[in-house]
Amino acid sequence: MTDSDLIAPGWTSNRIRVNTITLHVVEAGPADGRPVILLHGFPEFWWAWRKQIQPLADAGFRVIVPDMRGYNLSDAPLGISAYQIDLLARDVVDLATALGVERFDLVGHDWGGVVAWWVAARHAERLNRMVILD
C-alpha cells in the first residue's frame, strides 16, 4: 500500500518546501475554510488523523495535516540539530505561510502537542486557537 492509496476522495497530497526542507502535506476541505493544522505524535504520520480529517472538512474547515520533519514522506535531515524544537515550530509557521494562511487553529497530539505548545509560545500571533490531545 502506498501513501496515495490512503488518500480519500477530495483530499490532496502535496510536498511543500519550508524552512530548507520539504514537508509532505495532506489537505481537505474548502480552500476558503477556517484553517486548522493537525500535528501527529511519535512515531506516527498524517494517517493518525484519518478519522478526524473528513468530519473537520465537512464542518467547513480547511484541514492541513503535515508529516512533520523526519516522518513518512517528509524530508528527514541528518543530525540531532536538525530536530531542534525551534526548527519544528518554524516548520509549522512556514508551512502556513507557504499555503497563504496568516492565522490558523492548531491541534497537536503527543509529540505534535509539544510542538504546538512551542508554536504558541514563540508565534502566538499566528494562532487563533490551540488544542492539545494526549
Side-chain angles (χ1 to χ4, degrees):
M1 182 178 290
T2 66
D3 199 66
S4 61
D5 295 325
L6 304 176
I7 303 296
W11 300 3
T12 62
S13 173
N14 296 300
R15 294 180 50 80
I16 299 172
R17 187 83 176 157
V18 300
N19 199 13
T20 74
I21 63 164
T22 300
L23 296 178
H24 172 251
V25 180
V26 171
E27 290 188 80
D32 63 349
R34 182 180 175 131
V36 59
I37 299 176
L38 309 177
L39 301 179
H40 62 80
F42 173 84
E44 302 166 326
F45 62 106
W46 74 266
W47 180 247
W49 295 104
R50 68 192 176 279
K51 293 182 180 178
Q52 291 77 32
I53 293 171
Q54 195 59 53
L56 287 167
D58 290 345
F61 286 92
R62 177 182 180 188
V63 185
I64 302 163
V65 193
D67 290 332
M68 293 195 295
R69 73 168 54 208
Y71 296 88
N72 195 32
L73 300 178
S74 287
D75 288 351
L78 296 176
I80 294 171
S81 64
Y83 297 89
Q84 295 174 16
I85 193 76
D86 282 329
L87 290 175
L88 298 172
R90 174 54 57 193
D91 288 348
V92 174
V93 172
D94 287 354
L95 174 62
T97 300
L99 294 172
V101 171
E102 182 60 33
R103 294 179 59 86
F104 52 93
D105 296 337
L106 184 60
V107 180
H109 169 255
D110 184 63
W111 178 238
V114 174
V115 175
W117 275 115
W118 205 258
V119 171
R122 298 291 191 249
H123 308 281
E125 73 285 353
R126 300 296 299 270
L127 297 182
N128 289 317
R129 293 182 207 167
M130 182 180 68
V131 176
I132 304 298
L133 305 170
D134 194 15

